[in-house]
Amino acid sequence: MGVIKLAVPLLLVACLFRSLPANCQPSPLITLKEINVPLQKALEDIRLLTGYTYAGEATWVQYSHRVSFSVRKAPLRQVLDSCFKDQPFTYEIIGKAISIQARPPKELVVHGFIFNEKREPLEGVTILVRGELSAAAVTRENGEFSIRTRFADDQLLISSVNYESQELRPDDSKDMVIYLRERVGALADVVVVNTGYQEKSRKGTTGAFDVVSAELIDRRVSTNLLDRIDGVTNSVLFNKNIVSGTNQSAITIRGRSTIFANPNPLIVIDNFPYNGDITNINPEDVENITVLKDAAAAAIWGAFSGNGVIVITTKKGRLNQPAKWSFTTSQTIGEKPDLYYQPILSSSDYIDIQQFVYRKGGYNGQLSNFQRGAISPAVAIFDATTKGLISPADSASRINVLKGVDTRSYLNKYFYRQSLNSQYSLNVRGGGPRNQFFLSAGYDENKSNLVRNLYKRVTLLGNNTYMLVPDRLELSTGLSLSTSKAYLNNVGTSNVGYPYARLADANGNPLPVNLGLKNSYIDTAGGGQLLDWHYVPLNELKNSDNTVQLADYRVNIGLRYIIRKGLDVHIYYQYGWGDSIGSNYQNLQTYYTRNLINSYAQNSNGVFTFPVPMGGILDEQRNTYTANNARLQVNYQDTLFRQGLLNVIGGAEVRDLEGEGRRTRLYGYEKGVASSIAVDYATQWPQYANNNKTRIPYYDVNSANSERYLSYYINADYTYLGRYIFSASARRDESNLFGVKTNNRGVPLWSVGGGWVISKENFYHVNWLPFLKLRITDGYNGNVDRSTSSFTTAYINPSGNSYGAGSATIANPANPSLRWERINIFDAGLDFSLRKDRLGGSLDYYIKSGQDLIGQSPLDPTVGLTTFRSNTANMVDHGIDLTLHANNMIGPIRWSSVLLFSYVQDRVTVYKEKIGPVSTYFLTNVINPFVGRPLYALYALQWKGLDPQTGDPQGVLGGKVSKDYGSIVNSGNLNDMVYMGPSTPRAFGGWRNSLVWRQWGFSWNIVYKFGYVFRRNSIFYSQVYNGTSFGHSDYQRRWQNPGDEKMTNVPSMIYPIDRNRDAFYQASTVLVEKGDHIRLQDVQLSYELTRSAYPRLPVSMVRFYLYANNLGILWKANHAGIDPDYVSGMPNPRTLAIGMKTDF
Amino acid sequence: MIKQSWSSLISPLLLVMTSVLTAGCHKDDFLGKNPNSSLVVPSTLTDFQNLLDNDQVMNLFPALGEISADNYFIDQSLWQSAGTRVQNAYTWEKDIFDGEGNDEDWNYPYQQVYYANVVLDGLEKLKTDNSTIATYNSVKGQALFTRAFGLYNVAQLFAPVYDAMTAATDSSIPLRLSQDVKAPTVRSTVKQTYDQITGDLRIAVGLLPATVSMTYVNRASRPAAQALLARIYLSMRKYDSAGLYADSALSAHLTLLDYRQLNNSGLPIPFSRQNAEILYQSSFVNYQDYSQVLTGYSYFDCFVDSNLIRSYDPNDLRPSFYYFLLGVTDSFGLKGSYAGSLFPFGGLATDEVYLISAECKARAGDLNGAASKLNTLLVNRWKPGTFNGYAFTTQQEAFDTVLSERRKEMPFRGVRWSDLRRLNKEGANITLFRKINGAVDSLAPNSIRYVLPIPPDVLLLSGIQNNPR
């Protein structure tokens, strides 16, 4: 750094001194403009203007360089200085003559190293001597270079694609050490975007792209690739509170624009959509990720692009680079999760409630003789006390013991542990003059924080490119293999229906708990002929044997034939295959197996037979996909209208994705022997405990599905004068959608765009803003809904009906006017960069409008169906994406930050189904679109406090305060409910900072989400009464005496309770909280050593880092102690990783 | 070297290009592939049979009639925690839906009608030959049977009882006879309703297999269609026709369960779904609010009407098969259904046919015939050697006995509500009472509240008129 800063003033001083003697003479003033003329021509012009002649040694004309300058009324000396700058001569003014003299050459051999700011050696950087193009050098792998120059005042010009150029004077007195700065405002210049069909410079595009570099991908430590782009890409939202049944996607790009069709972004890996599990990808193998956001960027993906596209490109080799090995490893330790995060009832409170319900007779049904369901221990004690079997004193002491038991302490001890994730990755990349290669191997082993859960993954990747015929034919091959095995033996709970279960005695011996059937029944049932019928959670954990194995491979073959310069043909083919095998072996010791065997046991006068055979049960589920993708593409590039550049790609693509699923169950299975026993599935067996007649569960199912697509596409970009950019694309997709006639299968989609680099205009003189570009695009993306059809279709029920015959359910009635969903995206964007990239970024405004969306329409139930799916809904999203890159501090300490801000607001504009009553809007597992509101929104019922006399919650019915809960929650008037806000964040993003000082690097990422609400939990008595919930500590704050209503909103406890009273409280406004929060996501500290700085280092570079993740919330709007990303469940525990990356 | 690899590459290159091109040429084949192995456009006899075999749709029976009838009562706490519809139907409120738009009792039968219409429409397009005609007839007969049973069940709840004098003008339920979702929903008259139902069934009798399948009791057979016609004519008070169809059903299928032989020890539900008396399986719609009240052996349970309990003779085996003594009270709860499940059975069985035959004989003055039918049935229902057999001297005695035995034999079978409507029409003068919250509600004979209001969603989306309440 210092070198550059010093070099510039030194040069200036040198120039001043050199021209000092001539200043004594009066000098004529010259006005002259020369553009790229030989030196001789310039001197001749000067002679004509001033009368000064010129002369020199005979060779000077031959060795001189062309000159360009423009001066107004400049002194002669200044003009001559510009003429002789960079010339291998000097001049002297003698009288009215200019004498041209060969410079006294001082041959230097300059030797040095070039690094980036992280002190990584840079290879392939070009060093030129200014004015002497023949002298050039390129840095070697370790950043080393040496170059000869002829003059001490020469200028070295150092340039590299990804780094800012530098000029400095040669210095042969020592090794020159040069640090290059990465082009941060790369946005403006050199960033390459990959659409999956072509790579192009961001500069020449009109679309909205976001690129995540390898460096940014490597910043985070995780096994899963997608975790690494969380919080570092604009407009990409990771949904943490996904509710099943509502068709939510884990990732959304620019909000939501479909209701029932596929909500997931398309994931493309190495040119083609990826059909496997994303966890199969090793993040270490990824070169970059491009997110395609608007129509111009994504429309090339046609009917798959409606939700945005994430293009993942794996690492490739480099031409002319010796093999370079690199090894990465990390160890990540995670805390135990906080089991006490959810404030459930204390055991003491829970038992008090049980006692209250018992006294009211609420357990009479359960306790009556014919009920054989398990009874919780406290209720059993109360009952035994009532029946006089135990004394009141004994009862009280037993209850007191139970009140002191908290199941979570056992879970914490026996079910949870610290996690440890280990990652190892080794790769080599390089290439010769005609080939490039990248080979990598990775191994991951994650010990989950759930005891007995483990994940192992092996990945292999090889990417090769060969120029078969120079400048003609190139072959590229890619092979990717990934296998993993997950052990899922621990589900993290004990499955017990009361919170005071003791799972082990003082010595750690497993204890049974009350689950399934009543203890008094299972203790004696079968008279010793049946298997033990107790449920022992710790033994379940020990005996569990549940695994999921994934295997995945991809083979890529690409051929590029260059017909002539600017015209080439590509053929790509990808074969992908993957399968997942879930295997759950429940041996004879597991409760499931014992219970099933016992339940089906037949007692014929004391002779027991077992229709479910004695032995383990093996469930296997296997899903396989096979993908064949082929593409033929022509790339054409040419100049058009002299200063214009035309870039056209066009092609056809065929995709065939075949999936197969199989589920099987083997009874009487013994692992090791691998033998199983046939069972009688046909007979309806009376159940041992209740004589219900049922068949033995039959799980063998096969399924197959097929997705086929034929697509044609064309995409053209035209750049005129380097500042006007036009783009257009069109695509047609056809698919084997069910029962659609061929001519209706396809959908044509298109986009157009324009870009204007204002800063390149002649009239542009804003010095502080040297780069400014405007982009506007518009077009249509599509989305496929594969669940509907234009004919009446029926779904064959895989296991038939309950009589052993086939069975079919009508999936949808005939809908001849079915169409594909279309999403129009308008985007206006601005890219800018301040001088020296001190601040740069982009701002986009977009409107996404989903048209012909699949929506539900209500049908008169007399038709035989209550709803009908068809293209009846519309949605609109508005949004802003802002990215700012700042270099806050340049110098020995470099501080840079990136601010990401996304704002998106979606609204359903047309929806035909009448939904109601209001209670429908409080169901969590269905989508309830409401015109004028976001698709995922929260509604609540007006709250009028607690009744001062009874502590009953009060709502509003027909404008009056009411306790008619049934009518309130079932009100058909939707105006009776209050819209509380969207349930997904409106504004979100991150603020990432990094500091670099010498070998040290420090960075942290702060992420935020604003503008949304969530519904929190509280005490809902009926759920506690019937044992489906452990309640909530709000119980402590419940209304108990008149006057309490002033301090609390928690209703009083009553029995019996109207279910609707709980339902009303649950839906009321008082339980809705703001989700806004700011989180310190992670912190990374790194230290790096390079051989150039430490010549005795045995490797060329080694970097150590510490990475801490999930650090916690900095600020949140709610005061209920809830992390809005974890409204249910537990927050992700904090983790600390220590890692090392070595380049050999 | 280069030449060699060049030529070796030509062939795969050509291969890929040809495959892309040929894919284009055989586009229809390529894109014609079925996207999901488990999806079909129903068009074959197998597809149609599969639709009819969907027992989760086709073999369901509306429950609101039994909920509103007098076989049981519930206590305050169960009533309070019961769903809105059950609460209101239990006390015969004017509006039983109270904001809820949909009703399973309406939706499921009409879904059955829709499935049947899909099958019947599809059969029109199917050609038959000698090898398929038997299956074709059976499928068509089953579809007609299901449509009739569905419409009849809706009519029991939402249309007035059949009265020959006013049937041509009384407003009844909509009849849907095609799968077209765009076809308008219009209310028919009671006469049209019953003409359609009985007409469909008479055609079905000629098409259906002559014997009952013991395996596939979810499928209709000729005896089942005859038994259903008997049930329908009985509800229409066309006792001659009812008797004729009952006897013809019995001529094909007379099997009765012998309770004396049936194991009832320690077995909560002594019946099986495929028991020998079942002619056609149908189970109450398993809607949570209903099952909470009517399920056997549930946490909360209804109490069997104490007058009904008292009417059984000590030697009668039936109470021990149907009910159990609730531990904490002196009342009886429901063990389970006649078809072995926990939830009541609404299908057809031979015992009902015997009782219809006996009733029609008694009404026709055939006292010996009536006694004979009853005795054949009841000897199987009493402890061995205790049943002496009925012999009637007056028609009234025969009539009263038959009705009393009908009540004792078939509680919780979905027929009581129809019986109350029919018998009150003839002057039986049965008033129903409910006690809730200390208040007593009653339902007078022939009250307009014997016809339930039409679900709000139907009114809203079809524009048809509601029933007066």
Side-chain angles (χ1 to χ4, degrees), chain A residues 362 364-366 368-374 434 468-470 473 475 559 561 569 571-573 630-632 652-656 658 684 686 689-693 695 702-710 712 732 734-739 742 745 786-787 789 791-797 800-814 858-866 868 914 916-917 964 966-967 970-972 1026 1055-1060, chain B residues 2 5-6 9 12-13 16-17 19-21 23-24 27-42 47 49-57 59 76-77 80-84 87 98-102 106-107 110-115 118 174 176 178-183 185 215-219 266-274 281 288-289 292 297-301 324-328 335 340-342 457-462 464:
Chain A
N364 288 348
Q366 272 186 56
S368 73
N369 287 335
F370 286 88
Q371 300 305 329
R372 283 169 183 169
R434 286 169 57 185
L468 294 174
V469 182
L473 188 65
L475 169 71
L559 264 183
Y561 181 69
V569 181
I571 293 173
Y572 297 104
Y573 171 73
R631 178 186 300 164
L632 178 67
E653 188 174 278
V654 50
R655 289 180 61 202
D656 181 4
E658 304 288 329
Q684 299 258 348
N690 60 16
N691 206 37
N692 248 347
K693 292 179 187 65
R695 293 189 294 176
N702 270 316
S703 67
N705 53 62
S706 164
E707 282 183 42
R708 290 178 166 189
Y709 297 95
L710 253 185
Y712 313 93
R732 182 181 167 82
E734 300 180 359
S735 174
N736 62 331
L737 278 188
F738 201 80
T742 311
R745 283 187 185 120
R786 303 193 68 92
S787 69
S789 163
F791 296 142
T792 302
T793 51
Y795 173 71
I796 307 291
N797 302 332
N801 72 5
S802 65
Y803 299 88
S807 165
T809 304
I810 291 182
N812 75 287
L859 277 182
D860 164 18
T862 318
V863 166
L865 301 157
T866 49
F868 183 53
K914 181 197 84 98
D964 182 356
S967 302
N970 287 316
S971 164
N1026 66 21
Y1055 188 93
I1057 193 163
D1058 176 0
R1059 279 184 300 185
N1060 289 325
Chain B
I2 288 162
S5 44
W6 172 227
L9 271 165
L13 184 81
V16 176
M17 288 186 83
S19 61
V20 171
L21 293 173
K27 201 160 94 172
D28 284 1
D29 288 350
F30 180 73
L31 295 181
K33 179 151 185 190
N34 184 346
N36 189 330
S37 65
S38 52
L39 267 185
V40 292
V41 173
D47 296 338
Q49 184 64 62
N50 281 340
L51 285 174
L52 295 168
D53 274 345
N54 187 336
D55 57 338
Q56 301 300 310
V57 172
N59 300 89
Q76 175 80 21
S77 77
Q80 216 159 30
S81 65
T84 314
Q87 286 183 343
D98 204 4
E100 290 183 27
N102 269 301
W106 182 281
N107 295 0
Y110 275 109
Q111 197 179 357
Q112 292 160 8
V113 172
Y114 173 67
Y115 274 47
V118 168
R176 290 199 71 94
S178 94
Q179 65 166 322
D180 181 7
V181 297
K182 299 251 155 55
T185 295
T215 316
Y216 302 121
V217 290
N218 62 312
R219 291 182 190 167
L267 298 173
I269 308 166
F271 304 104
S272 79
R273 190 174 61 168
Q274 273 123 317
Q281 167 66 32
Q288 190 205 340
D289 287 0
Q292 191 180 354
Y297 287 113
S298 69
Y299 284 172
F300 308 96
D301 215 325
F324 71 97
L325 189 63
L326 285 167
V328 289
K335 266 191 174 182
S341 70
L342 291 170
D457 273 6
V458 176
L459 297 174
L460 186 79
L461 292 159
S462 69
I464 59 174

Side-chain angles (χ1 to χ4, degrees), chain A residues 546-732:
Chain A
N546 187 14
T547 58
V548 176
Q549 285 186 78
L550 299 180
D552 193 87
Y553 64 79
R554 274 174 294 130
V555 181
N556 279 302
I557 298 172
L559 264 183
R560 184 162 74 110
Y561 181 69
I562 302 160
I563 298 168
R564 61 173 173 81
K565 196 171 181 301
L567 180 65
D568 47 329
V569 181
H570 289 243
I571 293 173
Y572 297 104
Y573 171 73
Q574 188 185 72
Y575 175 78
W577 180 90
D579 89 346
S580 87
I581 303 173
S583 166
N584 187 10
Y585 176 58
Q586 306 189 77
N587 66 27
L588 195 51
Q589 278 72 50
T590 60
Y591 179 77
Y592 179 86
T593 302
R594 285 181 284 125
N595 181 43
L596 204 68
I597 292 170
N598 284 348
S599 297
Y600 283 83
Q602 303 296 310
N603 177 1
S604 174
N605 302 318
V607 180
F608 278 70
T609 51
F610 296 94
V612 175
M614 287 286 172
I617 296 171
L618 177 69
D619 286 315
E620 277 201 316
Q621 181 154 12
R622 180 170 183 165
N623 292 303
T624 310
Y625 80 84
T626 311
N628 277 285
N629 298 306
R631 178 186 300 164
L632 178 67
Q633 179 173 316
V634 177
N635 292 8
Y636 175 71
Q637 195 168 34
D638 206 349
T639 52
L640 205 64
F641 305 121
R642 292 197 300 174
Q643 305 226 33
L645 184 67
L646 179 70
N647 200 337
V648 183
I649 63 164
E653 188 174 278
V654 50
R655 289 180 61 202
D656 181 4
L657 176 67
E658 304 288 329
E660 248 183 70
R662 200 177 70 220
R663 199 168 68 174
T664 56
R665 166 172 279 197
L666 296 175
Y667 286 102
Y669 184 86
E670 288 314 320
K671 230 175 184 177
V673 190
S675 62
S676 67
I677 299 169
V679 298
D680 177 355
Y681 288 118
T683 306
Q684 299 258 348
W685 302 97
Q687 298 288 289
Y688 193 86
N690 60 16
N691 206 37
N692 248 347
K693 292 179 187 65
T694 47
R695 293 189 294 176
I696 295 173
Y698 177 73
Y699 284 114
D700 297 15
V701 174
N702 270 316
S703 67
N705 53 62
S706 164
E707 282 183 42
R708 290 178 166 189
Y709 297 95
L710 253 185
S711 312
Y712 313 93
Y713 59 91
I714 185 160
N715 183 317
D717 297 304
Y718 177 66
T719 308
Y720 185 66
L721 291 175
R723 51 181 184 256
Y724 307 113
I725 309 158
F726 306 96
S727 72
S729 72
R731 174 161 170 141
R732 182 181 167 82

Side-chain angles (χ1 to χ4, degrees), chain A residues 805-936:
Chain A
S807 165
T809 304
I810 291 182
N812 75 287
N815 177 13
S817 60
L818 187 71
R819 302 179 296 286
W820 291 23
E821 295 188 349
R822 296 190 308 153
I823 294 122
N824 177 265
I825 307 180
F826 169 82
D827 183 295
L830 202 61
D831 298 337
F832 59 93
S833 147
L834 266 57
R835 264 214 301 197
K836 293 193 173 170
D837 273 330
R838 289 304 285 255
L839 185 67
S842 68
L843 175 68
D844 280 80
Y845 169 74
Y846 60 87
I847 305 171
K848 274 173 94 172
S849 57
Q851 300 163 8
D852 292 347
L853 302 186
I854 300 289
Q856 303 263 45
S857 306
L859 277 182
D860 164 18
T862 318
V863 166
L865 301 157
T866 49
T867 54
F868 183 53
R869 270 189 187 189
S870 57
N871 302 81
T872 54
N874 289 344
M875 276 184 76
V876 170
D877 294 30
H878 295 263
I880 289 169
D881 290 340
L882 173 68
T883 304
L884 287 179
H885 301 262
N887 290 306
N888 305 317
M889 208 186 274
I890 313 175
I893 296 180
R894 289 191 22 80
W895 172 27
S896 59
S897 15
V898 177
L899 178 76
L900 303 176
F901 174 81
S902 299
Y903 177 85
V904 59
Q905 186 178 5
D906 71 298
R907 193 159 47 90
V908 177
T909 49
V910 177
Y911 199 76
K912 300 226 168 115
E913 188 181 21
K914 181 197 84 98
I915 302 172
V918 295
S919 60
T920 326
Y921 286 88
F922 308 124
L923 298 175
T924 53
N925 55 352
V926 287
I927 310 181
N928 288 315
F930 190 109
V931 171
R933 300 287 184 215
L935 183 60
Y936 297 113

